[in-house]
Amino acid sequence: MNHPSASPLFVRELSELPDHPPRPAPGRVDLWIDSLDQDPVPLLPFLTPEENERAAAFHFEKDRRKYQVGRGLLRRVLGR
């Protein structure tokens, strides 16, 4: 049986993401989680023109916001 600290999956809240996170250890997956129910405005600068265009095509505002937040958070994580 593996020791809990040797688990290949590492789950943390996105709010804990440091500016310069270390690379995951070999064989480990870092999973960062956050809610899509938040203000997308701070994340809009991370979106590409194509993502902004796609967001504008959503019929419902709640779906547009979740898409913008999801893409913005993804880019923020990958950029760090």
Side-chain angles (χ1 to χ4, degrees):
M1 176 179 252
N2 288 340
H3 187 272
S5 65
S7 173
L9 182 62
F10 183 70
V11 182
R12 295 185 73 173
E13 295 284 333
L14 198 55
S15 61
E16 299 173 23
L17 180 67
D19 287 338
H20 302 287
R23 288 181 167 260
R28 189 179 89 183
V29 175
D30 286 3
L31 177 65
W32 297 92
I33 59 173
D34 206 339
S35 171
L36 296 179
D37 292 322
Q38 57 182 286
D39 182 12
V41 172
L43 300 166
L44 294 180
F46 296 108
L47 274 60
T48 66
E50 293 81 12
E51 289 168 326
N52 284 316
E53 186 176 313
R54 182 167 181 187
F58 280 91
H59 181 73
F60 296 107
E61 179 66 22
K62 66 180 178 81
D63 296 329
R64 178 179 9 264
R65 293 171 62 91
K66 286 183 179 187
Y67 174 80
Q68 291 169 321
V69 169
R71 296 302 298 188
L73 291 174
L74 176 65
R75 290 187 171 280
R76 194 173 113 208
V77 168
L78 294 176
R80 288 190 182 174

